[in-house]
Amino acid sequence: MLKAGLIGLPSTGKSTLFRLLTSSGESATGSGRQKAQMGVARVPDTRLDRLTALFEPKKHVPATLEVTELTGHGGASALVDVSGFRDAHALLHLLRMFTDDRVPHASGSVDPLSDIRAMEDELILADLAVAERRLERIQQDRKKGKSRELDEEQRVIETCRSALEEGQALRNLSLEGDDTKRLRGFSFLSAKPQLIVLNLDEADVSDSAGAVERAGLSGALSGSGTEAVPLCAKIELEIAELPPEDRAAFLADLGLSDSGLDRVIRASYHLLGYRSFFTVGKDECRAWSIPAGTSAQEAAGEIHSDLARGFIRAEVVPCDALIARDGSHAACREHGEVRLEGKEYVVADGDVINFRFAT
Ligand SMILES: Nc1nc2c(ncn2[C@@H]2O[C@H](COP(=O)(O)OP(=O)(O)O)[C@@H](O)[C@H]2O)c(=O)[nH]1
Ligand SMILES: [Mg+2]
């Protein structure tokens, strides 16, 4: 499952966003030294909604995003110890751009540029501690016996340490293939792709680009591994309280085409290069998330390891074609829209797949 950690200074709207994202899913309080809450957000997908309307299955299962928020204190160094952050594929960084006299501001006043820097520095310091701990361990291990891999690891971590000491986030480091893999095990926070969620003032929602520019943020948001999504948590709360059929009109009144929550989830997908494929039937219509470049056999393994092991063929039809033919595979077949693909086939976003396998 796709995992995201919510970070940001106090009173930026993390808990509000957490509640909004996970209102329809389960949530749990993590155990351990640091207090964290974890919840599951459903990934909105109109394609799955349409397929569900056509197949009328017993179960409708959207793709999900697991979200973690640290509820205790302790700053970024605490994040390193919380599994939900350690394993996170991405960080959602809440940035306060709204003014509200009743909500005290961590930095005194609204200053998103300096807040980004403050959070970044915390991530960098936490990573520096991890890097130093690891280098000490490597020194000890090398006394016991040398290995090429240990040397390589030391070299990569020393590169990281230098970057961190210069105040650079590791997501800006361009590493070669094997080094990227070596780094993966360390769960460096500043190496994770980051989605900056701009929590705008209500007055700015219809002109979010203008708000970003006025705050002098354009440069800070253009770094590698970084994307930005504007929303207003206060308005999102109002939307969440509306009956679903009234939401589109409410958004249109504000000059918006979709809700901020939908945009946050979509942007997380985009940032990570994630895709969705679907399985359909009378029992269940379901969306599955996979990284871009996933093969048909790996995709089968997402559903069950037996499907990957006994993989024969993937019967693939793009969901748009299937929807256009009212969910009839037979009609799609007649028009040559159903393809039989082998295990190396790279699954495309929106594929509806039926896996043929031998048990
Ligand atoms: N005016 C305004 N208040 C907000 C907005 N988002 C959150 N808040 C309020 O700010 C306070 C802190 O929010 P919270 O989500 O607990 O922030 P956290 O400390 O980052 O978890 C709460 O009282 C929220 O209701 C917003 O977009 N506009
Ligand atoms: Mg909170």
Side-chain angles (χ1 to χ4, degrees):
M1 193 187 338
L2 208 52
K3 295 180 181 179
L6 267 177
I7 62 167
L9 295 177
S11 299
T12 47
K14 296 184 296 297
S15 296
T16 308
L17 184 65
F18 178 90
R19 242 182 304 122
L20 281 163
L21 282 170
T22 61
S23 60
S24 51
E26 329 108 56
S27 77
T29 309
S31 54
R33 242 165 354 114
Q34 300 296 337
K35 289 254 179 298
Q37 56 177 346
M38 271 162 250
V40 175
R42 295 151 160 265
V43 177
D45 193 328
T46 50
R47 299 168 302 178
L48 181 65
D49 295 341
R50 285 210 206 104
L51 291 169
T52 301
L54 290 169
F55 284 87
E56 300 180 322
K58 295 188 198 103
K59 259 170 84 187
H60 159 101
V61 188
T64 50
L65 171 74
E66 187 182 287
V67 190
T68 303
E69 185 202 1
L70 198 67
T71 49
H73 292 288
S77 56
L79 300 181
V80 183
D81 295 324
V82 172
S83 66
F85 290 95
R86 217 170 30 233
D87 313 338
H89 299 99
L91 298 178
L92 304 185
H93 179 174
L94 250 282
L95 197 60
R96 176 161 169 181
M97 296 182 70
F98 69 86
T99 43
D100 189 333
D101 294 339
R102 289 161 304 172
V103 183
H105 197 289
S107 352
S109 65
V110 173
D111 187 350
L113 201 53
S114 109
D115 289 356
I116 288 192
R117 192 63 236 175
M119 201 62 224
E120 189 90 314
D121 287 345
E122 282 208 46
L123 299 180
I124 288 169
L125 274 178
D127 284 352
L128 202 51
V130 172
E132 266 157 11
R133 263 204 312 267
R134 184 62 205 158
L135 284 169
E136 275 167 32
R137 276 298 300 273
I138 292 176
Q139 293 302 342
Q140 285 170 12
D141 289 351
R142 278 166 65 112
K143 283 183 200 145
K144 288 181 216 147
K146 297 193 175 167
S147 83
R148 203 182 115 78
E149 185 47 37
L150 217 51
D151 292 346
E152 295 289 329
E153 204 181 300
Q154 174 165 9
R155 180 183 48 77
V156 179
I157 299 182
E158 278 171 352
T159 308
C160 291
R161 183 176 59 185
S162 317
L164 292 164
E165 279 171 349
E166 285 164 22
Q168 263 199 62
L170 298 179
R171 76 183 87 80
N172 297 318
L173 218 59
S174 40
L175 294 173
E176 303 296 320
D178 275 355
D179 286 353
T180 315
K181 266 187 229 142
R182 285 192 183 96
L183 214 60
R184 225 170 270 159
F186 295 101
S187 46
F188 284 122
L189 297 171
S190 76
K192 295 183 190 295
Q194 181 166 219
L195 180 69
I196 308 234
V197 180
L198 308 155
N199 194 359
L200 298 178
D201 213 68
E202 273 173 286
D204 288 328
V205 275
S206 49
D207 176 27
S208 48
V212 166
E213 230 160 87
R214 280 195 299 281
L217 283 172
S218 310
L221 302 182
S222 66
S224 67
T226 305
E227 281 200 32
V229 171
L231 56 73
C232 172
K234 205 171 177 183
I235 290 179
E236 296 300 324
L237 279 171
E238 287 171 31
I239 296 171
E241 277 162 13
L242 291 174
E245 60 272 22
D246 294 345
R247 289 177 190 168
F250 181 84
L251 287 166
D253 271 351
L254 292 165
L256 300 172
S257 57
D258 49 8
S259 85
L261 295 183
D262 289 3
R263 271 178 286 131
V264 165
I265 294 178
R266 264 208 306 278
S268 307
Y269 255 58
H270 186 246
L271 180 66
L272 294 166
Y274 266 64
R275 308 280 184 266
S276 297
F277 74 89
F278 305 102
T279 50
V280 296
K282 281 283 160 211
D283 283 333
E284 181 182 274
C285 283
R286 182 162 184 160
W288 305 83
S289 330
I290 46 169
T294 297
S295 71
Q297 190 173 28
E298 289 164 336
E302 273 297 306
I303 300 175
H304 200 288
S305 54
D306 288 349
L307 260 68
R309 213 174 304 121
F311 184 95
I312 299 173
R313 282 268 183 281
E315 202 181 42
V316 180
V317 56
C319 68
D320 292 341
L322 188 60
I323 291 166
R325 303 208 185 278
D326 293 330
S328 165
H329 270 93
C332 288
R333 221 169 271 123
E334 263 169 45
H335 290 85
E337 290 160 343
V338 179
R339 306 184 316 268
L340 281 179
E341 302 282 4
K343 51 176 126 173
E344 304 295 331
Y345 167 71
V346 174
V347 175
D349 192 42
D351 278 352
V352 177
I353 307 185
N354 179 26
F355 292 103
R356 296 195 190 162
F357 66 108
T359 46

